């Protein structure tokens, strides 16, 4: 779901080589991680290919919608209450010293098991009915929710641990 602006692209057998804009470095990427290349003149070359042996694999248009869902989740999904709750839970878990380290990952796992309500964060009703779009949006939002809960929980744990050590001294 990420767009990269690069100077040049070279397609080889099993890699795609490109030059970065800022430092002019030559980088490579696996073609399985690239959906398409859009050239400066606006033409697009689709790299993604459907696996004919996998009946559940997305077609090119379905994958486009999946990626659009991921991009919209990046743009619209911000779950601040989750971050605050994870920080507070992590801070409270620091009371149990080293044994409390398990609580923030446990919280992130529990929170990540619930899919976000897409209707709350995205308003385009036409896209809500497209299953591939929803799947991409929910996957990216769930990943972000888990990552934010884990990072905030661990930050809360460290902050609580520092505060408890200062208070005890």
């Amino acid at each position: 779901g990420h767009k990269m602006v690069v100077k040049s692209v070279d397609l080889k057998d099993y890699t795609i080589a490109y030059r970065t804009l800022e430092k002019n470095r030559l980088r490579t990427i696996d073609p399985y991680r690239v959906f398409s290349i859009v050239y400066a003149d606006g033409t697009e070359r689709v790299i993604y290919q459907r696996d004919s042996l996998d009946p559940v694999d997305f077609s090119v248009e379905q994958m486009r919608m999946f990626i659009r869902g991921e991009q919209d989740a990046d743009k619209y999904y911000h779950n601040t209450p989750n971050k605050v709750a994870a920080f507070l839970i992590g801070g409270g878990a620091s009371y149990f010293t080293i044994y409390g380290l398990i609580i923030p990952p446990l919280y992130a796992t529990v929170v990540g098991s619930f899919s976000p309500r897409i209707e709350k964060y995205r308003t385009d009703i036409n896209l809500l009915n497209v299953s591939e779009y929803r799947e991409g949006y929910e996957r990216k939002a769930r990943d972000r929710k888990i990552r934010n809960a884990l990072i905030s929980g661990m930050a809360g744990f460290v902050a609580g641990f520092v505060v408890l050590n200062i208070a005890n001294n």
Side-chain angles (χ1 to χ4, degrees):
H2 296 285
K3 292 182 180 181
M4 295 173 25
V5 180
V6 298
K7 277 187 179 178
S8 63
V9 176
D10 184 27
L11 290 120
K12 297 181 182 173
D13 291 333
Y14 298 104
T15 60
I16 297 174
Y18 62 92
R19 289 216 175 265
T20 60
L21 278 178
E22 58 277 348
K23 295 185 180 177
N24 200 26
R25 289 189 177 162
L26 183 64
R27 306 263 181 175
T28 60
I29 190 168
D30 187 7
Y32 293 107
R33 298 189 64 203
V34 176
F35 176 73
S36 69
I37 298 171
V38 180
Y39 295 99
D41 64 358
T43 59
E44 179 183 34
R45 180 174 178 183
V46 177
I47 306 297
Y48 172 78
Q49 292 180 352
R50 182 180 190 165
D51 184 1
S52 60
L53 298 177
D54 187 359
V56 209
D57 210 7
F58 289 150
S59 69
V60 171
E61 285 309 312
Q62 289 172 323
M63 184 55 80
R64 244 184 240 287
M65 291 307 293
F66 182 85
I67 292 170
R68 184 162 178 203
E70 287 184 325
Q71 290 170 339
D72 281 356
D74 254 353
K75 194 183 309 180
Y76 298 117
Y77 183 77
H78 306 288
N79 195 353
T80 306
N82 177 42
K83 295 176 195 173
V84 172
F87 186 85
L88 294 174
I89 288 171
S94 67
Y95 177 76
F96 300 111
T97 63
I98 196 75
Y99 301 109
L101 272 174
I102 190 68
I103 295 174
L106 187 63
Y107 173 76
T109 303
V110 170
V111 164
S113 66
F114 300 103
S115 290
R117 288 186 21 207
I118 188 173
E119 296 83 9
K120 182 178 174 184
Y121 297 99
R122 182 72 177 125
T123 57
D124 192 349
I125 294 173
N126 296 327
L127 292 176
L128 295 178
N129 297 327
V130 180
S131 63
E132 295 84 14
Y133 175 86
R134 286 183 75 92
E135 189 175 337
Y137 191 101
E138 289 173 354
R139 177 179 164 215
K140 187 68 153 191
R142 192 178 315 110
D143 289 350
R144 175 176 278 176
K145 185 171 32 168
I146 292 168
R147 185 185 72 235
N148 288 342
L150 189 57
I151 291 170
S152 298
M154 288 305 194
F157 181 84
V158 169
F161 195 73
V162 168
V163 167
L164 283 174
N165 279 334
I166 290 172
N168 286 337
N169 289 339

